[in-house]
Amino acid sequence: MDYAIIVEELTKRFGRFTAVDSISFEVKKGEIFGFLGANGAGKTTAMRMLCGLSIPTSGKGSVAGFDIMNQTEYIKRNIGYMSQRFSLYEDLTVWENLRFFAAIYGIKDKEIERRGVRVLQELNFYEERNTLVKDLPLGWKQKLAFSTAIFHRPGIVFLDEPTGGVDPLTRRQFWELIYQTADSGITIFVTTHYMDEAEYCNRVSIMVNGRIEALGSPANLKQQYHAESMDNVFQQLARV
Amino acid sequence: MITVENLTKSYGEVEALKDISFHIDAGKIFGIIGPDGAGKTTLFRILTTLMMADSGQATVDGLDVVKDFARIRHCIGYMPGRFSLYQDLTVEENLHFYASVFNTSIKENYYLVQDIYKQIEPFKKRRAGDLSGGMKQKLALSCALIHRPKALMLDEPTTGVDPVSRKEFWSMLQRLKEQGITILVSTPYMDEATKCDHIALMQKGRLLSVDTPERIVAAYPDVLYAVTGDNNYRLLCKLKENKEVKMCYISGESLRVIFHKNNVPAIEGVEIRQVAPTIEDCFIQLMQ
């Protein structure tokens, strides 16, 4: 079995505070993995370590085949990242954004031209390629941000609350895009506060006070906690 | 307690509110449910007298939002979407400041905020800027309450908040309602709609529907089915090509499907059962 992420006893301390407390898990290639937890449970700290932005205090692991202790620059080059807060430059056009991010990852102009046109056509954005991003509806921005994050064809893409604030239909279209991407072999690592979205994942983990308290498929977790929904599983675990 | 009649507001070419009308009875929780860009914040700014509408009228407790703006400000508590307390004052200093602005004291109205404030009281010497998200939210609510307002206006208090803290927040609102406070609250989370007495579903400046959550669900015009297969994504692609299917989308562990003329086809290896729509299904239906 090939893994996109393997971590063992990953720990991060800030002074005397342990933000991430010896977590171990793996994510299979092509899997949609939901990373859940209450605010302050340690999700962001863990995610920063997985993205190569923060060095663990102890533990070991690899992301996209690179060591999280000493190969962080390779990790950054081989993953995609999208967050709700920072995703695109508002005062650049659709095309300029795509080109900018692709070029940062070292993709040649010709290749950007060829694939960029196709990506925009698939999203039905081609007509809007010269529109400033700030003039796009939020749902479009998020789809564009996602396509930009996977344009360099990373093995894994990290999505930090990607669907906040969009209408229910656009939210579902976004998840169809996620499914399609996972189907093409790219691993998806996603955080969300929408519990129906937890059900869309192949497996989810739930973090409580820096530790992973539960990990499994939504169906297994619901069975294990005698719960009807993932919301109920979450309420049982995360209430402290 | 609150009336809104034919409110309209544009920013340049963007119509943020298009002819909005509704009313809110005293002592109720009224939810404005809609995504970003629906016009929720514009509506709050008009009702809190911070902005004037282009046309239409609104009143709070019988007072006009334009003519009587100064009096309205005394009888409402407002919690804007963005954290807007003083980051470099401590928890206690913030609360004291808001009480003194309204000529009252923490002591006088402590009973009203006690339930919420006691949870952050152990950190009362900490600067507001150093609090966690959940604690900031509790402090902001305490500050909005400290002058004993008749109506509370909460603009997206639970956005970005985890499901457990969201549930706690709604129980706090329920207890405030029992004290007789009218609550206007907006949220992008459709599952919170059922915690409200009345809701307005809002999209792109328009009201799609205003009623009790129960009646909105009862008015759903189609028969909705949950469809489950081995691979929901592949199943979705297949159903989208099926001519019998009027609409289909993913929903939790299964798909939601509406069939033309309610003709349910037999599909091999797939479980189909009728389900009751949720507010989110109603919203999707009304968006069409």
Side-chain angles (χ1 to χ4, degrees):
Chain A
M1 180 60 73
D2 279 337
Y3 293 105
I5 299 177
I6 306 177
V7 292
E8 270 176 63
E9 295 174 13
L10 195 65
T11 299
K12 182 76 186 186
R13 289 193 200 94
F14 298 105
R16 273 189 296 174
F17 176 67
T18 305
V20 174
D21 189 1
S22 189
I23 62 173
S24 305
F25 65 97
E26 349 20 85
V27 178
K28 291 175 215 138
K29 279 192 179 161
E31 189 171 34
I32 303 177
F33 190 86
F35 198 57
L36 312 182
N39 299 109
K43 295 193 304 289
T44 303
T45 305
M47 201 139 143
R48 284 176 58 82
M49 290 191 279
L50 297 174
C51 291
L53 298 171
S54 164
I55 304 293
T57 309
S58 63
K60 59 180 180 178
S62 70
V63 173
F66 298 101
D67 192 287
I68 55 169
M69 284 293 187
N70 50 37
Q71 291 183 305
T72 53
E73 287 312 308
Y74 290 100
I75 289 179
K76 288 182 206 167
R77 245 175 269 175
N78 286 281
I79 62 170
Y81 177 78
M82 172 194 167
S83 85
Q84 193 194 346
R85 286 177 298 279
F86 175 77
S87 42
L88 299 167
Y89 290 96
E90 297 264 308
D91 46 4
L92 295 183
T93 66
V94 168
W95 183 258
E96 285 166 344
N97 266 288
L98 198 63
R99 186 166 172 274
F100 176 75
F101 284 101
I104 279 184
Y105 284 106
I107 301 173
K108 298 273 184 294
D109 273 352
K110 260 188 189 165
E111 175 85 357
I112 296 173
E113 182 71 34
R114 191 174 59 78
R115 265 172 44 208
V117 170
R118 205 178 60 216
V119 165
L120 292 183
Q121 280 169 344
E122 278 174 17
L123 291 170
N124 288 323
F125 281 3
Y126 191 67
E127 302 292 310
E128 303 292 338
R129 65 191 180 281
N130 295 321
T131 304
L132 291 181
V133 161
K134 69 175 175 206
D135 295 329
L136 292 178
L138 179 65
W140 287 40
K141 277 185 209 173
Q142 284 168 325
K143 282 184 211 165
L144 180 64
F146 181 69
S147 301
T148 305
I150 58 169
F151 193 80
H152 59 294
R153 298 199 174 147
I156 178 167
V157 60
F158 291 84
L159 309 174
D160 195 0
E161 288 181 44
T163 56
V166 302
D167 69 73
L169 206 55
T170 308
R171 202 153 69 78
R172 285 171 170 77
Q173 287 165 357
F174 191 87
W175 269 92
E176 285 178 32
L177 208 54
I178 292 180
Y179 272 131
Q180 197 188 332
T181 306
D183 215 43
S184 78
I186 294 180
T187 309
I188 312 279
F189 188 93
V190 58
T191 72
T192 179
H193 286 319
Y194 290 99
M195 285 303 115
D196 62 325
E197 296 189 345
E199 310 259 8
Y200 302 154
C201 301
N202 299 121
R203 287 189 309 146
V204 300
S205 70
I206 300 179
M207 245 181 124
V208 182
N209 292 336
R211 304 183 70 94
I212 288 182
E213 288 294 334
L215 198 161
S217 70
N220 284 344
L221 290 180
K222 280 185 281 186
Q223 198 178 16
Q224 192 182 336
Y225 289 91
H226 307 287
E228 280 192 353
S229 62
M230 279 307 293
D231 184 53
N232 190 273
V233 174
F234 191 89
Q235 298 287 348
Q236 287 184 43
L237 277 166
R239 188 177 290 277
V240 274
Chain B
M1 173 56 90
I2 297 172
T3 66
V4 170
E5 268 175 71
N6 309 107
L7 275 190
T8 302
K9 176 77 188 180
S10 296
Y11 304 108
E13 281 176 19
V14 181
E15 288 183 83
L17 294 179
K18 299 173 192 169
D19 198 19
I20 301 285
S21 304
F22 63 85
H23 67 273
I24 304 175
D25 296 334
K28 300 282 187 200
I29 300 183
F30 188 96
I32 309 265
I33 319 281
D36 288 3
K40 303 189 297 289
T41 299
T42 300
L43 183 59
F44 273 86
R45 287 191 178 151
I46 292 170
L47 290 177
T48 51
T49 78
L50 298 174
M51 181 193 269
M52 292 203 315
D54 295 339
S55 64
Q57 278 99 43
T59 66
V60 177
D61 197 23
L63 302 167
D64 185 272
V65 289
V66 179
K67 286 203 306 265
D68 307 317
F69 73 93
R71 286 167 70 196
I72 287 183
R73 288 180 187 180
H74 279 275
C75 72
I76 58 169
Y78 174 43
M79 188 170 150
R82 191 175 288 182
F83 182 69
S84 54
L85 300 180
Y86 294 92
Q87 311 257 6
D88 46 4
L89 294 187
T90 65
V91 166
E92 195 176 32
E93 284 166 346
N94 266 292
L95 191 61
H96 178 71
F97 173 75
Y98 280 90
S100 64
V101 162
F102 288 101
N103 283 321
T104 183
S105 63
I106 297 178
K107 206 175 144 196
E108 200 172 334
N109 291 321
Y110 187 76
Y111 71 97
L112 199 60
V113 298
Q114 182 181 3
D115 189 30
I116 304 152
Y117 187 64
K118 70 177 181 220
Q119 299 175 49
I120 48 172
E121 220 167 6
F123 312 99
K124 65 183 182 186
K125 299 287 179 206
R126 193 181 285 187
R127 284 185 194 196
D130 296 335
L131 294 176
S132 73
M135 288 199 276
K136 278 182 182 165
Q137 188 196 37
K138 283 170 187 152
L139 177 60
L141 185 58
S142 303
C143 290
L145 271 173
I146 196 64
H147 61 295
R148 210 150 62 87
K150 289 180 179 167
L152 257 187
M153 306 209 186
L154 313 172
D155 193 7
E156 295 204 29
T158 56
T159 293
V161 175
D162 70 72
V164 170
S165 311
R166 287 205 277 134
K167 211 168 182 177
E168 277 175 8
F169 193 81
W170 280 95
S171 344
M172 287 191 267
L173 294 191
Q174 196 59 43
R175 288 194 292 272
L176 290 171
K177 178 191 151 177
E178 284 157 17
Q179 307 251 20
I181 297 173
T182 306
I183 301 170
L184 174 65
V185 54
S186 66
T187 177
Y189 298 103
M190 307 268 155
D191 58 341
E192 295 182 342
T194 51
K195 317 261 189 205
C196 305
D197 298 306
H198 283 82
I199 54 171
L201 301 182
M202 204 172 175
Q203 160 95 347
K204 291 182 185 159
R206 285 184 202 283
L207 291 183
L208 303 174
S209 182
V210 183
D211 214 326
T212 64
E214 297 78 19
R215 279 201 292 264
I216 287 178
V217 166
Y220 193 78
D222 289 301
V223 185
L224 190 66
Y225 293 90
V227 177
T228 320
D230 286 341
N231 183 324
N232 283 342
Y233 174 62
R234 303 246 164 95
L235 183 59
L236 182 74
C237 295
K238 215 168 87 181
L239 286 172
K240 280 188 170 176
E241 285 167 10
N242 191 321
K243 287 192 181 70
E244 312 268 5
V245 172
K246 186 174 162 191
M247 187 157 71
C248 65
Y249 48 85
I250 50 178
S251 182
E253 58 189 342
S254 58
L255 306 177
R256 290 287 179 274
V257 186
I258 299 166
F259 298 99
H260 282 295
K261 293 177 187 160
N262 199 22
N263 275 332
V264 184
I267 308 169
E268 208 177 321
V270 168
E271 186 201 316
I272 303 179
R273 65 190 163 85
Q274 197 181 321
V275 286
T278 62
I279 290 292
E280 194 154 9
D281 295 313
C282 295
F283 197 97
I284 290 172
Q285 172 79 32
L286 289 163
M287 277 172 71
Q288 305 294 315

